[in-house]
């Protein structure tokens, strides 16, 4: 079974909040005469996929065949996002559009190596009931051919309290594992998923426990697993590795790295886990690979 999985590209479905990360790069040589602010002379502009799109980037880099479902605005940012997905080889035929929704775009001004300001243009309200229905219908069309489903929640309104359990139910009925990168402190909508992957801070907020010892980490991990009826709970521990909770607790350490920025680390972890599990690895080997 595992050898057969290794011979082909895993098919992984990502559902969640897609966004654009927009950067204006430049240098500051003076202060504005109009206000006590830096004047940045922009010399480069870049845009990349962000949010659940960063999971897509990681899966593509690993060699997965990626499928994406989401709800975006019928706007210029939405068109730009679709162009980036098309360049990555992602089929966007089953996307859902809302006329009054703003596709998330986060713009950052960088002077030298310092981020000066970030401004966001987006909608965060829950998607409509019509969009929820369309999302479910589109998922049912393709779920049979998927190996793994990732729910990438950035709290921008796609993975609502009502649609998330239905997405999990569709995947479970098709016997497809569901990996969740959660958001917020109430994880009840993720109940009956296969696996959840909060970081230490998120697990603390969700469990209501202070994770200042191995005993507390163990207590929180099994609390999440049992409360949400999961097959496995994971807690990422930054430089201390990843803790697994199924029949027992195990912590796999990271390989020492000099890390300057942990932004997007959760996206990389869940993408790596999904890729490894789709190729037939067991959970421990998948976590070692993700680390």
């Amino acid at each position: 079974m595992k050898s057969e999985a290794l011979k082909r590209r895993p098919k992984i479905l990502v559902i969640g909040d897609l966004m654009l990360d927009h950067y204006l790069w430049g240098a500051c040589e003076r202060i504005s005469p109009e206000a006590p602010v830096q004047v940045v002379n922009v010399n480069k502009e870049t845009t990349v996929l962000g949010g659940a799109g960063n999971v897509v980037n990681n899966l593509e880099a690993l060699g997965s065949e990626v499928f994406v479902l989401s709800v975006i605005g019928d706007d210029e940012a939405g068109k730009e996002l679709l162009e980036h997905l098309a360049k990555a080889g992602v089929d966007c035929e089953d996307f859902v559009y809302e006329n009054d929704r703003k596709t998330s775009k986060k713009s950052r001004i960088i002077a030298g190596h310092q981020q000066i300001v970030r401004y966001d243009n987006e909608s965060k309200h829950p998607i409509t009931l019509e969009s929820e229905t369309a999302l479910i219908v589109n998922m049912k069309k393709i779920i049979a051919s998927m190996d793994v489903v990732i729910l990438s929640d950035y709290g921008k309104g796609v993975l609502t309290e009502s649609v998330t359990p239905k997405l999990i139910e569709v995947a479970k009925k098709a016997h497809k594992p569901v990996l969740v990168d959660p958001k917020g402190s109430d994880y009840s909508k993720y109940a009956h998923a296969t696996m959840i992957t909060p970081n230490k801070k998120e697990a603390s907020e969700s469990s209501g426990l202070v994770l200042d010892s191995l005993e507390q980490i163990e207590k929180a991990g099994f609390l999440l697993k049992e409360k949400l009826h999961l097959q496995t709970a994971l807690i990422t521990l930054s430089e201390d590795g990843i803790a697994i909770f199924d029949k027992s607790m195990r912590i796999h350490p990271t390989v020492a790295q000099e890390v300057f920025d942990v932004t997007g680390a959760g996206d990389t972890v869940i993408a790596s886990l999904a890729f490894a599990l789709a190729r037939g690895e067991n959970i421990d080997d998948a976590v070692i690979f993700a680390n």
Side-chain angles (χ1 to χ4, degrees):
M1 185 77 175
K2 178 178 174 180
S3 61
E4 291 179 6
L6 290 171
K7 292 177 183 177
R8 62 178 178 80
R9 295 177 69 196
K11 293 185 175 183
I12 299 176
L13 173 60
V14 178
I15 308 175
D17 301 294
L18 290 162
M19 60 188 73
L20 291 168
D21 283 332
H22 174 225
Y23 299 88
L24 297 166
W25 306 86
C28 173
E29 297 177 352
R30 65 191 180 97
I31 301 299
S32 171
E34 303 165 0
V37 296
Q38 299 181 62
V39 176
V40 179
N41 182 30
V42 174
N43 53 45
K44 185 173 71 170
E45 185 173 353
T46 57
T47 304
V48 296
L49 290 170
N54 194 37
V55 178
V56 174
N57 284 334
N58 278 277
L59 289 169
E60 284 287 333
L62 289 167
S64 302
E65 189 174 352
V66 189
F67 299 78
V68 184
L69 291 177
S70 189
V71 180
I72 62 174
D74 186 12
D75 54 10
E76 287 303 313
K79 292 174 184 176
E80 188 178 3
L81 188 148
L82 292 176
E83 289 174 2
H84 281 276
L85 287 170
K87 288 178 184 177
V90 176
D91 186 351
C92 306
E93 183 179 337
D94 292 321
F95 267 49
V96 180
Y97 304 90
E98 289 185 4
N99 290 330
D100 62 345
R101 192 170 197 86
K102 291 182 180 179
T103 303
S104 294
K105 185 171 185 177
K106 301 180 181 297
S107 298
R108 302 159 177 86
I109 298 177
I110 315 288
H113 298 290
Q114 180 69 45
Q115 184 174 153
I116 303 301
V117 68
R118 189 185 95 179
Y119 57 96
D120 299 350
N121 194 6
E122 62 183 2
S123 293
K124 295 189 284 187
H125 59 270
I127 59 174
T128 65
L129 290 176
E130 291 79 9
S131 293
E132 289 186 2
T133 300
L135 209 54
I136 295 294
V137 169
N138 292 344
M139 183 183 185
K140 287 180 176 178
K141 287 195 305 186
I142 63 174
I143 189 62
S145 63
M146 298 298 110
D147 294 310
V148 177
V149 177
I150 295 175
L151 300 184
S152 178
D153 196 348
Y154 271 79
K156 304 302 181 184
V158 173
L159 293 171
T160 65
E161 299 289 336
S162 56
V163 81
T164 304
K166 295 174 185 175
L167 295 170
I168 292 171
E169 183 180 7
V170 170
K172 299 295 275 187
K173 281 185 176 179
H175 306 289
K176 308 298 180 181
V178 183
L179 279 58
V180 180
D181 190 0
K183 195 72 173 179
S185 58
D186 181 4
Y187 289 176
S188 57
K189 67 180 179 181
Y190 309 123
H192 302 287
T194 307
M195 183 188 304
I196 197 166
T197 63
N199 60 34
K200 190 175 178 180
K201 180 176 181 291
E202 291 166 338
S204 175
E205 291 172 351
S206 179
S207 65
L209 299 173
V210 178
L211 307 190
D212 56 359
S213 67
L214 280 179
E215 289 76 16
Q216 288 293 90
I217 291 170
E218 182 173 17
K219 188 175 180 180
F222 283 114
L223 179 65
L224 290 174
K225 178 183 179 295
E226 299 304 324
K227 183 179 179 181
L228 300 174
H229 309 284
L230 307 171
Q231 181 177 310
T232 309
L234 296 185
I235 299 178
T236 60
L237 305 172
S238 190
E239 69 276 5
D240 293 323
I242 299 176
I244 306 172
F245 306 88
D246 43 33
K247 293 180 181 178
S248 63
M249 180 182 81
R250 299 171 310 283
I251 295 179
H252 290 286
T254 58
V255 177
Q257 300 285 342
E258 190 170 6
V259 178
F260 295 94
D261 185 3
V262 298
T263 303
D267 296 329
T268 303
V269 166
I270 202 164
S272 302
L273 286 169
F275 179 80
L277 292 171
R279 285 165 61 89
E281 302 288 355
N282 63 43
I283 183 61
D284 288 274
D285 287 342
V287 166
I288 290 168
F289 174 68
N291 258 336

